[in-house]
Amino acid sequence: MSEEMGYYNFKIANHVREYEEKRVSERKRQLLYLILHYLREEGFYETAQSFSNEAHLSNQYEVCDNIDLSTIVQDFETYYYVRFQKYPKICKKVVSEENKKNIWKKPVLAEKIHHTTKVRRNSIQNGENKLQVPASKSSQKTSSNNSQKSFKSNNSLPELDLIVLPLTSGDSNQGNNAQNDTQENGSEKFLKPLSGCHIYNAEWKEFAEIISKEICVNDLNVHWNDIMGLDEAKQLLKEAVVYPTKYPELFSGVLAPWKSLLLYGPPGTGKTLLAKAVATESRTTFFNIAVSSIISKWRGDSEKLVRVMFELARYHAPSTIFLDELDALASHRDTCGTHEGSRRLKAELFIQLDGLTHSEDRVFLLATSNLPWELDTAILRRLEKRILVDLPNTEARRSMIEHYLPPVVTKGPSLLSKLDYELLAHESAGYSGSDIKLVCKETAMNAVREAFSVLETHKDDENVTNLKLKVINTEDLQNALRSTKPSAAHLAPRYHKWHREFGST
């Protein structure tokens, strides 16, 4: 009996060993075909052919449609982030033998920095007034030292010795720092996987995926310097979004950052452009929410979408929710014919904003409206700051005209212009930023129109060598101003009246 049991155990062991060897061989074959498929997808055809010949791969197998090498790497990054709260490093830089000697000196420096940081933290816990956050780059230290000198030179607060440096590292936020470094190094931002959010279950999964599609992951390339004028609006947006993430030590208690802000004013004055600058300049997760994204034809789904939107914003915090044309979503509830579903949607939005205001969540709501008088009074109460984005002043109009029509236009066909910018800035009073862009476009088109007749009449076998475009002068732009009327000048008094009654600046 024992001999039979030994024989069966030996046979089972052989089967297990053969099965494991078969699995290893199968895994190796799948890996080789995945590499071959990736090389072909990337266009390395000669390399793929050489790889196929050397690995002895045939045409009997091909990669399935639902998998590729990039998907496998992405899934591994997601798993690694969920487990360790940071993204894995798959490749590392090769260090030569000559530079290896310098590497052994770095831990000593790191130990000193760690010791200095520990001493600073202990001094903060002991109640000292000095507040220091170590910076990692020498350039940041230089700029911060200059700002410290200028701050200390002010005698308005001589008893307060406050030193604040940009927050760049921390022992307890290694995962978040790795994510921020990844975002800064590339134009596309990496987000935390949805599987880690507590609402990502069978009931809320569909809504979470809909809202996640509205997260802006690409760099919009709109900076503060690209926006001419609107200094007050830019400063308040920096205080509400940029500075709290850069200097979190200063924004607590009574100095808690703004939770919501409304930009209102005539159309074409740069409200959406300010939102794009926030998405580019801030380190927050930017939710570009359209009205169609949170409105559903099914009963109760719109309220769920609003709730999921705020939950995901808390999960990806610090984050910014951008609602364009808020008047289409939160108009007066006492209007005749208001649908019940619209009332429920507004009620859920008000509840979420109340919870946002009375919490420590690092979530900011940015809304815009061209019709602020159409907004419900309940939403106005919850919008802590209401800023008028007015028509551009004379200096801003001059900068816009000089930006679109400089002395030498290099973008597109080369054009020359000789303009009196001061005179044109005064004559364009009442024009919005988009109106000025249309005027400059019309002026440039008039300079090119004369060339169309020459290009259409010459024969195909003839070369046009004496074609010269007209030099744009002040009179050309004045003619364009007379033909292109301002779109929102007649509404400016109404915005100023509403600003005096309900504005908060």
Side-chain angles (χ1 to χ4, degrees):
M1 186 67 179
S2 59
E3 294 180 357
E4 292 181 358
M5 290 296 297
Y7 172 76
Y8 284 121
N9 290 335
F10 176 75
K11 196 171 184 180
I12 291 174
N14 285 337
H15 281 296
V16 171
R17 185 172 61 255
E18 292 176 359
Y19 177 73
E20 290 296 333
E21 292 176 355
K22 185 177 181 181
R23 284 189 59 189
V24 171
S25 177
E26 182 70 18
R27 188 182 299 113
K28 180 179 178 181
R29 183 179 63 184
Q30 292 177 354
L31 181 60
L32 293 175
Y33 278 99
L34 278 171
I35 297 173
L36 179 63
H37 175 75
Y38 179 79
L39 291 175
R40 289 175 177 174
E41 288 291 327
E42 294 296 323
F44 302 106
Y45 298 109
E46 296 181 359
T47 305
Q49 185 63 35
S50 301
F51 178 77
S52 177
N53 295 335
E54 187 174 355
H56 304 287
L57 303 180
S58 63
N59 297 326
Q60 297 179 357
Y61 299 94
E62 63 179 5
V63 179
C64 298
D65 298 334
N66 61 344
I67 195 65
D68 56 14
L69 198 57
S70 59
T71 302
I72 294 174
V73 175
Q74 184 177 2
D75 290 344
F76 171 72
E77 290 177 347
T78 303
Y79 159 77
Y80 196 92
Y81 187 90
V82 171
R83 184 171 181 180
F84 302 105
Q85 296 302 310
K86 62 180 180 180
Y87 288 100
K89 290 186 177 181
I90 299 178
C91 300
K92 64 178 181 179
K93 188 176 181 180
V94 179
V95 182
S96 60
E97 294 293 337
E98 298 177 356
N99 296 331
K100 284 185 178 180
K101 298 180 180 179
N102 298 327
I103 296 178
W104 299 104
K105 300 179 181 180
K106 292 183 179 180
V108 179
L109 180 60
E111 184 178 356
K112 292 182 180 179
I113 295 176
H114 178 72
H115 176 70
T116 305
T117 306
K118 187 176 181 180
V119 172
R120 289 174 178 176
R121 289 178 178 173
N122 293 334
S123 62
I124 293 172
Q125 294 177 357
N126 294 332
E128 297 182 6
N129 288 334
K130 293 186 178 182
L131 177 60
Q132 298 180 346
V133 179
S136 61
K137 296 181 180 179
S138 59
S139 60
Q140 293 178 349
K141 291 183 179 179
T142 304
S143 60
S144 62
N145 291 333
N146 296 333
S147 62
Q148 294 169 17
K149 293 178 182 178
S150 61
F151 181 81
K152 290 183 179 180
S153 62
N154 189 0
N155 296 325
S156 59
L157 294 174
E159 71 279 1
L160 179 61
D161 187 10
L162 182 64
I163 303 175
V164 179
L165 304 182
L167 181 64
T168 57
S169 63
D171 297 337
S172 61
N173 294 325
Q174 295 180 357
N176 295 333
N177 292 333
Q179 183 178 0
N180 292 335
D181 294 340
T182 307
Q183 294 178 4
E184 292 176 357
N185 293 334
S187 60
E188 185 175 355
K189 299 179 180 179
F190 292 93
L191 302 175
K192 294 191 291 185
L194 285 178
S195 56
C197 186
H198 69 278
I199 64 169
Y200 194 74
N201 49 37
E203 180 182 0
W204 301 93
K205 180 179 179 180
E206 180 182 357
F207 304 111
E209 291 177 350
I210 293 174
I211 298 299
S212 297
K213 293 179 181 178
E214 304 301 324
I215 299 177
C216 183
V217 296
N218 296 321
D219 188 7
L220 299 179
N221 197 24
V222 178
H223 304 277
W224 300 118
N225 296 331
D226 299 334
I227 304 175
M228 301 168 189
L230 306 180
D231 295 332
E232 182 180 3
K234 289 190 289 187
Q235 181 62 30
L236 287 175
L237 284 174
K238 290 179 182 179
E239 293 176 0
V241 185
V242 179
Y243 295 157
T245 58
K246 196 174 183 180
Y247 310 105
E249 301 86 1
L250 295 179
F251 292 87
S252 60
V254 71
L255 291 176
W258 309 112
K259 294 294 185 178
S260 55
L261 187 146
L262 173 66
L263 300 175
Y264 64 93
T269 52
K271 297 183 291 297
T272 306
L273 198 63
L274 285 170
K276 292 181 179 180
V278 170
T280 303
E281 295 285 356
S282 67
R283 296 181 179 180
T284 62
T285 306
F286 192 81
F287 289 77
N288 187 14
I289 303 297
V291 178
S292 59
S293 303
I294 55 178
I295 292 182
S296 175
K297 64 179 180 179
W298 303 108
R299 180 182 178 89
D301 283 3
S302 298
E303 301 91 278
K304 293 179 180 179
L305 286 169
V306 172
R307 179 181 175 184
V308 169
M309 176 180 68
F310 281 90
E311 291 293 339
L312 286 180
R314 294 184 181 95
Y315 175 64
H316 291 291
S319 57
T320 302
I321 301 176
F322 174 58
L323 289 175
D324 200 4
E325 303 295 342
L326 183 63
D327 47 89
L329 184 65
S331 58
H332 291 290
R333 287 175 290 180
D334 55 357
T335 306
C336 297
T338 304
H339 194 270
E340 179 189 358
S342 178
R343 292 178 180 273
R344 294 197 308 268
L345 174 63
K346 296 172 187 176
E348 182 65 29
L349 179 62
F350 298 158
I351 292 172
Q352 294 296 332
L353 284 177
D354 273 336
L356 185 65
T357 305
H358 300 91
S359 67
E360 298 296 330
D361 297 326
R362 301 171 64 186
V363 178
F364 176 71
L365 175 68
L366 176 62
T368 64
S369 175
N370 293 329
L371 303 172
W373 45 82
E374 295 291 337
L375 295 173
D376 193 90
T377 54
I379 192 69
L380 290 178
R381 181 185 68 81
R382 290 167 173 85
L383 294 171
E384 299 176 336
K385 298 294 289 184
R386 297 177 290 276
I387 304 174
L388 173 62
V389 183
D390 203 358
L391 296 172
N393 54 23
T394 304
E395 183 180 356
R397 293 195 301 271
R398 184 190 185 283
S399 301
M400 292 178 187
I401 297 174
E402 191 173 1
H403 172 74
Y404 292 118
L405 291 177
V408 179
V409 181
T410 57
K411 294 182 179 180
S414 298
L415 298 173
L416 299 178
S417 60
K418 296 180 179 179
L419 302 176
D420 187 352
Y421 295 106
E422 293 293 338
L423 176 63
L424 294 173
H426 285 86
E427 292 186 357
S428 59
Y431 284 75
S432 64
S434 60
D435 295 335
I436 293 176
K437 182 178 180 180
L438 290 177
V439 169
C440 296
K441 185 176 181 179
E442 178 66 22
T443 305
M445 184 59 67
N446 287 331
V448 180
R449 284 194 179 105
E450 298 180 359
F452 290 155
S453 59
V454 179
L455 295 173
E456 291 294 329
T457 55
H458 86 287
K459 297 180 181 179
D460 296 338
D461 55 349
E462 296 179 356
N463 295 326
V464 182
T465 57
N466 297 325
L467 182 61
K468 294 183 180 180
L469 299 179
K470 178 183 176 181
V471 178
I472 300 174
N473 53 37
T474 304
E475 185 179 358
D476 295 333
L477 201 142
Q478 290 175 335
N479 294 333
L481 285 173
R482 286 190 288 269
S483 62
T484 305
K485 302 300 180 182
S487 59
H490 63 288
L491 295 175
R494 188 172 184 181
Y495 286 105
H496 286 280
K497 180 181 177 181
W498 194 89
H499 177 69
R500 288 191 298 269
E501 296 177 356
F502 302 98
S504 60
T505 58

